[in-house]
Amino acid sequence: MGGCGQTLRAALNGLVADPQRIARSRQLQADAPAEGDTSRAADLVEDTLPA
């Protein structure tokens, strides 16, 4: 693997090991059920489209 691959690997390893990212991901997972399902997402997208 070349230098670019090693740089990418190091960046990804840093990302997945970052405690702040881990905590934020856990919070998003906990909040997701309250946000609704795909039909709610579709409604939100449709509400932003011009009539």
Side-chain angles (χ1 to χ4, degrees):
M1 185 176 291
C4 182
Q6 290 172 344
T7 301
L8 179 58
R9 181 182 301 265
L12 290 172
N13 284 337
L15 177 65
V16 299
D18 178 33
Q20 288 180 329
R21 195 234 18 107
I22 292 168
R24 180 68 178 138
S25 292
R26 286 189 180 136
Q27 186 61 52
L28 289 171
Q29 287 175 331
D31 293 346
E35 295 298 325
D37 57 11
T38 54
S39 62
R40 167 115 167 93
D43 290 343
L44 291 171
V45 169
E46 289 173 352
D47 288 346
T48 64
L49 299 175

